[in-house]
Amino acid sequence: MVEKDFVKSVTAMEEDFAQWYTDVVTKADLVDYSSVRGSMIIRPYGYALWENIQQALDGRIKATGHENVYMPLFIPESLLEKEKDHIAGFAPEVAWVTHGGSEELAERLCVRPTSEVLFCEHYKNIIHSYRDLPKLYNQWANVVRWEKTTRPFLRTLEFLWQEGHTAHETDEDAHDETKRMLDVYADVLENVLAIPVIKGQKTEKEKFAGAKFTYTVESLMHDGKALQSATSHHLGDGFAKAFGIQYLDREGKLQYVHQTSWGFTTRVIGAMIMVHGDDRGLIMPPKTAPTQVMIVPVAQHKEGVLDFAYKLKKQLSASFRTGIDASDKKPGWKYNEYEMKGVPVRLEAGPRDIEKNQVVLVRRDTGEKMFVALEELEARLAALLDEIQGNLYNRAKELLEKKTSKAADLGEFKASLEKNPGMIKAMWCGKRECEDKIKEETGATSRCIPFEQERVSDSCVCCGEKAESMVVWAKAY
Amino acid sequence: MVEKDFVKSVTAMEEDFAQWYTDVVTKADLVDYSSVRGSMIIRPYGYALWENIQQALDGRIKATGHENVYMPLFIPESLLEKEKDHIAGFAPEVAWVTHGGSEELAERLCVRPTSEVLFCEHYKNIIHSYRDLPKLYNQWANVVRWEKTTRPFLRTLEFLWQEGHTAHETDEDAHDETKRMLDVYADVLENVLAIPVIKGQKTEKEKFAGAKFTYTVESLMHDGKALQSATSHHLGDGFAKAFGIQYLDREGKLQYVHQTSWGFTTRVIGAMIMVHGDDRGLIMPPKTAPTQVMIVPVAQHKEGVLDFAYKLKKQLSASFRTGIDASDKKPGWKYNEYEMKGVPVRLEAGPRDIEKNQVVLVRRDTGEKMFVALEELEARLAALLDEIQGNLYNRAKELLEKKTSKAADLGEFKASLEKNPGMIKAMWCGKRECEDKIKEETGATSRCIPFEQERVSDSCVCCGEKAESMVVWAKAY
């Protein structure tokens, strides 16, 4: 067994993007593997990141009037089967509990892949009158989907998420809620994770099993593949009818409620890595970074250096998530380590800096190095973290624009995907056959029908018939 | 379907304590049942309570140097079997996943009842040198134990908890950690939940499966039954040997690590209810209460009342978790509702109060009513909430003392349990047979060997032989 004091490195993105990703998630200590196939261990650095994201989202979920609850992990098979489209969509990917202790169960229990049916059963119990509406519930939970091939954060057997479930008097109220929560997701993705998104509606083929329609926020990774970052579903009254969730309206008539559901998962950590990272590892947007500033003492054996560094740590901790590495490892090792971990700002302080009443700040996103006088430190750091946050967003936005092409026919479509892998804007007739054919011939799927429509051409990119709408297509995770 | 504008009430404690408990958890809107046997739905009011408790505990867990992680939900059968005492203890109560989608699994997966073995596998992977120690990890998660008879919060198929898992260089370090975390639990129970506890060690019979020994905090409910409120286990190096978790020590020699684990669950909500509640429902300690002050406008149809009430709500929300009920329900209904829910302080404000620049405060714990001038409101409320918190603790402490008896022989033991159900302090020889016999003859189990020992008599309460220590016994949940 050797001391692990070597310098870490990752496979270059250009060489093998998938390997780059795997290297980053493990070498930045975000995850570890276990003997549980397809599941991941979220390590302290990865979990602290998730806690920051959770906090940002949970605050917004509560500020929009929602309350957190907790539903059971298990769903009896007969309950899952009540809404036919829903069970058809989820049955192939659920894990089944068949034994409790040594006893075989009379009815199998599925480990929740999502909790619509549990909320529906509860809503039937607690909703009686229009006075009980809306019900705006959310839960933070783990869910399980029996996936064949898995990758940390992006697709795992088990993942963490929040799932919102709401019930409303009218279809319009439910529609407003569906939009509102999509906007909340877009806000967190763009303003906290610094990931620009395209908002739109999923096609019939791609919508949630059991929904009337699904809204989505789509983002683009460094390798030109898209990632569905969060979805918000208008469930209509389909579940209400299957479960008998009725209320007495203002005129005393029995009506079915109108429902929504919406989810946001640990998958966004994968998006964050693939949008911002580089060949030296992770780059964390300051708003999500577990450590925003990492202090590395220079020539720490010299008198006064460590005292100075710890004093700074204490001082800065009042305003920033501040770390210090005073271990006996070499500064070079430390620089490499916190670059790998994507800490937004490194602060170096050695004897000469102490003499001059200054420190050195180094940006992770640009590598820029600056000398900052002590009396300006807090103000400069605050401004710098904002600047990094903004820069990461802008860089990602530029990438998205650069990697978005337009296509009028399948020839152009394929050429674009080949030459500049990314999003393709192209018109669509609305028919499932064309959507299937495009996927078959190009590997790209419909990501969404963006809310912001453009008239790219007059006719469907596939069949040439009258176009109904512009769709954004891409190969996707 | 009728408008639910009736006054709620619960079964009297003296009449039927178990029914009183069930009435309170459902009528105070803490939980609902579902078609999932033995599981509970934690409703918004119950979950907000849990979030407050979590926040208090999580802050202390982090302040003592621990980091949060997340481990998989499933454990392969072969992994669970690695530590023999552990699997023997848990096998009868685990749920088994045997199918994923339509495919039968080659190896069964157990739904975690606790995660020692997953942490051990991970620790083997990441611990190499004494420099990697201690590892101080914690996770917030759901766990499943296949219980036959269940009751909300107290014993459910699935419950929420945190489980700490740590690894240390020496047995002594692990011992210190075991004590430290028991103290953290006692602090949260006594100073946040206002529940006095007895700290001590479990007997061999009652210790955690696979542990060297188990520390516990025990508390006493209103009906004289005890409840194990949290436990902290010294695991010794048994798991380390079973899993091969070794490190190079400061002399370059391979050593096994020494481990601990400790857990605190949603069960404490059951304790909180049964320690503080009364025949009008819940009583929430202010530090955990989702709503600390509930504003009930009086004669709210009169001009200015609602404006005044909403202004107060906004003003008080800066310092207190403040609610307002401006629904068209009758004040009497509202008073009853928030008494049932145990809101520590009710604030009434009507036209005459507005005129006099005052409000009325009503304490939930004593029923005391007081008129408070507006300019003193914040200060008085802050003091009042502290006073209520202290009063609840003191009342519970008095109850614990009143319901604690001493016994020198089995005759006294039985008579005490009969006359004054509660904790019995009695000497014990240390033999399993006496422990078993006491349980068989009295129904009481050993709760713990308290750290604070008293010499109640000279010989074992059961066999009359030389006593080894004083044990606290009680019938328990």
Side-chain angles (χ1 to χ4, degrees):
Chain A
M1 238 172 277
V2 290
E3 203 56 67
K4 294 204 305 183
D5 202 8
F6 53 82
V7 165
K8 293 176 184 173
S9 68
V10 295
T11 304
M13 275 187 180
E14 290 293 320
E15 194 182 303
D16 182 344
F17 192 79
Q19 188 58 49
W20 169 84
Y21 180 80
T22 306
D23 286 355
V24 168
V25 294
T26 52
K27 294 193 179 178
D29 295 342
L30 294 176
V31 299
D32 192 16
Y33 298 97
S34 74
S35 62
V36 192
R37 184 191 75 80
S39 294
M40 61 181 164
I41 293 168
I42 307 183
R43 301 189 63 184
Y45 196 57
Y47 201 79
L49 169 64
W50 179 238
E51 285 184 319
N52 289 338
I53 296 169
Q54 273 193 300
Q55 199 180 13
L57 180 54
D58 191 63
R60 286 161 171 86
I61 287 173
K62 285 174 176 155
T64 44
H66 302 83
E67 300 178 292
N68 286 340
V69 300
Y70 188 76
M71 290 282 158
L73 172 67
F74 296 140
I75 305 174
E77 187 163 15
S78 56
L79 191 67
L80 189 65
E81 283 172 343
K82 275 202 166 181
E83 210 289 334
K84 298 304 165 195
D85 292 337
H86 190 63
I87 177 70
F90 280 101
E93 53 180 52
V94 297
W96 293 104
V97 172
T98 58
H99 291 74
S102 53
E103 148 209 351
E104 187 169 355
L105 307 184
E107 180 180 15
R108 300 198 297 177
L109 299 173
C110 121
V111 183
R112 66 180 160 218
T114 181
S115 308
E116 272 74 9
V117 299
L118 292 168
F119 277 89
C120 283
E121 191 189 36
H122 183 48
Y123 280 157
K124 181 178 167 49
N125 230 353
I126 63 169
I127 295 172
H128 306 286
S129 143
Y130 70 92
R131 289 162 189 261
D132 299 324
L133 297 173
K135 280 277 175 270
L136 305 174
Y137 284 178
N138 175 61
Q139 88 168 344
W140 290 94
N142 54 344
V143 286
V144 168
R145 297 187 187 170
W146 207 261
E147 304 280 0
K148 298 281 180 203
T149 50
T150 58
R151 301 181 65 194
F153 298 118
L154 298 174
R155 198 171 291 278
T156 44
L157 230 68
E158 179 192 7
F159 57 86
L160 304 182
W161 77 347
Q162 63 65 221
E163 46 180 320
H165 295 269
T166 68
H168 306 263
E169 286 185 71
T170 66
D171 184 87
E172 199 190 342
D173 290 348
H175 193 169
D176 289 345
E177 169 79 3
T178 312
K179 282 189 285 195
R180 182 180 309 118
M181 298 321 291
L182 194 79
D183 287 341
V184 164
Y185 288 154
D187 177 25
V188 170
L189 285 160
E190 299 205 318
N191 299 315
V192 179
L193 288 152
I195 298 174
V197 297
I198 298 172
K199 291 190 215 174
Q201 183 171 333
K202 286 282 183 191
T203 60
E204 278 296 299
K205 180 186 176 187
E206 301 284 343
K207 76 176 186 186
F208 179 75
K212 186 175 167 188
F213 58 76
T214 289
Y215 287 159
T216 180
V217 273
E218 300 283 327
S219 46
L220 190 69
M221 307 299 105
H222 240 292
D223 61 346
K225 282 168 85 173
L227 189 141
Q228 172 184 308
S229 296
T231 46
S232 182
H233 317 294
H234 189 320
L235 300 180
D237 59 7
F239 280 91
K241 284 179 173 159
F243 284 82
I245 315 170
Q246 288 184 293
Y247 71 97
L248 277 178
D249 71 10
R250 289 156 205 267
E251 276 76 48
K253 273 189 234 157
L254 267 182
Q255 303 283 2
Y256 287 104
V257 299
H258 301 263
Q259 292 174 269
T260 81
S261 70
W262 26 276
F264 182 104
T265 83
T266 34
R267 207 174 191 216
V268 297
I269 294 178
M272 197 207 76
I273 296 165
M274 293 194 289
V275 167
H276 301 307
D278 66 15
D279 282 347
R280 284 182 298 156
L282 265 184
I283 300 183
M284 291 262 190
K287 287 192 185 164
T288 65
T291 304
Q292 296 173 310
V293 185
M294 178 55 78
I295 299 173
V296 178
V298 176
Q300 65 184 41
H301 58 282
K302 296 223 173 133
E303 209 193 313
V305 172
L306 278 181
D307 282 353
F308 181 78
Y310 277 109
K311 224 183 92 188
L312 269 183
K313 156 94 167 85
K314 199 178 160 193
Q315 178 189 326
L316 295 180
S317 292
S319 315
F320 312 100
R321 294 189 288 271
T322 310
I324 185 167
D325 187 345
S327 71
D328 54 9
K329 289 180 171 132
K330 297 201 176 74
W333 184 93
K334 295 179 186 174
Y335 296 171
N336 175 266
E337 175 74 7
Y338 303 110
E339 277 172 10
M340 181 66 73
K341 287 190 164 164
V343 176
V345 176
R346 181 172 76 235
L347 187 157
E348 304 168 11
R352 268 181 304 180
D353 303 310
I354 298 175
E355 221 168 80
K356 291 184 182 168
N357 253 324
Q358 68 177 23
V359 296
V360 180
L361 300 183
V362 185
R363 284 174 71 152
R364 172 65 180 88
D365 60 337
T366 61
E368 194 192 339
K369 197 165 170 164
M370 57 207 87
F371 297 88
V372 176
L374 276 186
E375 65 267 26
E376 290 174 7
L377 185 55
E378 264 98 344
R380 282 292 294 277
L381 258 179
L384 189 58
L385 290 172
D386 278 352
E387 208 182 311
I388 294 170
Q389 183 82 27
N391 181 46
L392 290 179
Y393 179 81
N394 291 337
R395 284 203 322 206
K397 184 91 182 169
E398 272 166 36
L399 189 85
L400 172 61
E401 278 157 15
K402 211 185 82 188
K403 286 184 183 284
T404 300
S405 314
K406 290 175 189 176
D409 59 43
L410 269 187
E412 269 183 42
F413 195 115
K414 289 178 198 169
S416 287
L417 258 192
E418 182 78 17
K419 209 178 69 196
N420 182 27
M423 304 277 201
I424 311 277
K425 292 179 173 175
M427 305 307 290
W428 178 52
C429 59
K431 285 199 296 286
R432 172 73 182 258
E433 300 90 74
C434 286
E435 200 177 350
D436 287 342
K437 193 176 167 197
I438 290 169
K439 183 173 179 188
E440 208 185 293
E441 296 210 359
T442 70
T445 51
S446 73
R447 303 319 307 154
C448 70
I449 306 162
F451 295 155
E452 284 187 26
Q453 284 283 306
E454 279 172 58
R455 192 162 187 82
V456 174
S457 66
D458 291 325
S459 52
C460 175
V461 70
C462 183
C463 66
E465 285 178 29
K466 190 165 173 297
E468 207 173 62
S469 49
M470 181 196 75
V471 168
V472 167
W473 314 80
K475 292 183 182 176
Y477 280 95
Chain B
M1 238 172 279
V2 288
E3 202 59 64
K4 294 206 304 182
D5 203 6
F6 53 84
V7 165
K8 294 176 184 173
S9 67
V10 295
T11 305
M13 275 185 181
E14 290 293 322
E15 194 181 304
D16 182 345
F17 193 77
Q19 188 59 46
W20 169 86
Y21 180 80
T22 306
D23 286 355
V24 169
V25 294
T26 52
K27 295 195 180 176
D29 293 343
L30 294 177
V31 300
D32 193 16
Y33 298 97
S34 74
S35 62
V36 191
R37 182 190 77 80
S39 294
M40 61 180 164
I41 293 169
I42 307 182
R43 302 189 64 182
Y45 196 57
Y47 201 79
L49 169 64
W50 179 237
E51 284 183 320
N52 290 339
I53 297 169
Q54 272 193 300
Q55 201 181 14
L57 180 53
D58 191 64
R60 285 162 172 86
I61 288 173
K62 285 174 176 154
T64 42
H66 302 82
E67 300 178 292
N68 285 340
V69 299
Y70 188 76
M71 291 282 157
L73 172 67
F74 296 140
I75 304 175
E77 188 163 14
S78 56
L79 191 68
L80 189 65
E81 284 172 343
K82 275 201 166 184
E83 212 288 333
K84 299 303 166 195
D85 291 338
H86 191 63
I87 178 71
F90 281 102
E93 52 179 54
V94 297
W96 293 103
V97 172
T98 57
H99 290 74
S102 53
E103 152 209 350
E104 188 169 354
L105 307 185
E107 181 181 14
R108 300 197 298 178
L109 299 173
C110 120
V111 182
R112 65 178 162 221
T114 179
S115 307
E116 273 72 11
V117 299
L118 293 168
F119 277 88
C120 284
E121 190 188 37
H122 182 48
Y123 279 156
K124 179 178 168 50
N125 231 354
I126 63 168
I127 293 172
H128 307 287
S129 144
Y130 71 91
R131 289 160 190 262
D132 299 324
L133 297 172
K135 279 276 175 271
L136 306 173
Y137 285 178
N138 174 61
Q139 88 168 344
W140 290 94
N142 54 343
V143 286
V144 169
R145 298 188 185 168
W146 207 260
E147 305 279 2
K148 300 281 179 201
T149 49
T150 60
R151 301 181 66 192
F153 298 118
L154 298 174
R155 199 171 289 278
T156 45
L157 230 65
E158 180 193 7
F159 57 86
L160 304 183
W161 77 347
Q162 63 66 222
E163 45 179 323
H165 296 269
T166 67
H168 305 263
E169 285 186 71
T170 67
D171 184 87
E172 198 190 343
D173 289 349
H175 193 169
D176 289 346
E177 170 79 4
T178 311
K179 282 188 284 196
R180 183 180 307 117
M181 298 321 292
L182 193 80
D183 287 342
V184 165
Y185 289 155
D187 177 25
V188 170
L189 285 159
E190 299 204 316
N191 298 315
V192 179
L193 288 151
I195 298 174
V197 297
I198 298 172
K199 291 190 217 175
Q201 182 171 335
K202 286 284 183 190
T203 60
E204 278 297 299
K205 181 186 176 186
E206 301 284 342
K207 75 174 186 184
F208 179 74
K212 185 175 165 187
F213 58 75
T214 289
Y215 287 160
T216 180
V217 273
E218 300 283 327
S219 46
L220 190 69
M221 308 299 103
H222 239 291
D223 60 346
K225 281 169 85 175
L227 188 140
Q228 172 184 306
S229 296
T231 47
S232 182
H233 317 295
H234 189 321
L235 300 181
D237 58 6
F239 280 91
K241 284 180 174 160
F243 284 82
I245 315 172
Q246 288 184 292
Y247 71 98
L248 277 178
D249 72 10
R250 287 156 207 264
E251 277 75 47
K253 274 190 232 157
L254 268 180
Q255 304 281 4
Y256 288 105
V257 300
H258 301 263
Q259 292 174 269
T260 82
S261 70
W262 25 276
F264 181 104
T265 83
T266 36
R267 205 173 193 219
V268 297
I269 294 178
M272 196 207 76
I273 296 165
M274 293 194 291
V275 166
H276 301 305
D278 66 14
D279 283 346
R280 284 181 298 155
L282 265 184
I283 299 183
M284 291 263 191
K287 287 193 185 164
T288 65
T291 303
Q292 296 172 311
V293 185
M294 178 56 80
I295 300 174
V296 178
V298 177
Q300 62 183 42
H301 59 280
K302 296 224 172 132
E303 211 192 313
V305 172
L306 277 182
D307 283 350
F308 179 79
Y310 277 109
K311 225 183 91 190
L312 267 183
K313 155 96 167 84
K314 201 179 157 191
Q315 177 190 328
L316 294 180
S317 292
S319 315
F320 311 100
R321 293 188 288 270
T322 310
I324 184 168
D325 187 344
S327 70
D328 54 9
K329 292 181 168 129
K330 296 200 176 74
W333 184 93
K334 295 179 188 176
Y335 297 169
N336 176 266
E337 174 73 7
Y338 303 109
E339 278 171 9
M340 180 67 72
K341 289 190 164 165
V343 176
V345 176
R346 180 172 78 234
L347 186 157
E348 305 169 9
R352 266 181 303 179
D353 303 307
I354 299 176
E355 220 169 82
K356 292 184 184 168
N357 253 324
Q358 68 177 26
V359 297
V360 179
L361 300 183
V362 185
R363 283 174 71 153
R364 172 64 180 88
D365 60 337
T366 60
E368 192 192 340
K369 197 166 172 168
M370 56 207 90
F371 296 88
V372 176
L374 274 187
E375 65 269 26
E376 291 173 8
L377 185 54
E378 263 98 345
R380 282 292 295 276
L381 258 178
L384 189 57
L385 290 171
D386 279 351
E387 206 181 312
I388 295 170
Q389 182 82 28
N391 182 47
L392 290 179
Y393 179 82
N394 292 337
R395 285 204 320 207
K397 184 91 181 166
E398 271 167 37
L399 189 84
L400 172 62
E401 279 157 14
K402 209 184 82 188
K403 286 184 183 287
T404 299
S405 314
K406 291 175 189 173
D409 58 44
L410 270 186
E412 269 183 46
F413 196 114
K414 289 179 200 169
S416 286
L417 258 191
E418 183 78 18
K419 209 179 68 195
N420 182 27
M423 304 277 200
I424 311 278
K425 292 179 174 174
M427 304 308 288
W428 179 52
C429 60
K431 285 199 297 286
R432 172 73 181 258
E433 300 88 78
C434 286
E435 200 178 350
D436 288 341
K437 192 178 168 197
I438 290 170
K439 184 174 178 187
E440 209 186 293
E441 295 211 357
T442 70
T445 52
S446 74
R447 301 320 306 152
C448 68
I449 306 162
F451 296 153
E452 284 187 26
Q453 285 283 308
E454 279 173 57
R455 190 160 187 86
V456 174
S457 66
D458 292 322
S459 52
C460 175
V461 70
C462 183
C463 66
E465 286 178 29
K466 190 168 176 291
E468 205 173 64
S469 49
M470 180 195 79
V471 168
V472 167
W473 314 80
K475 292 184 183 175
Y477 280 95

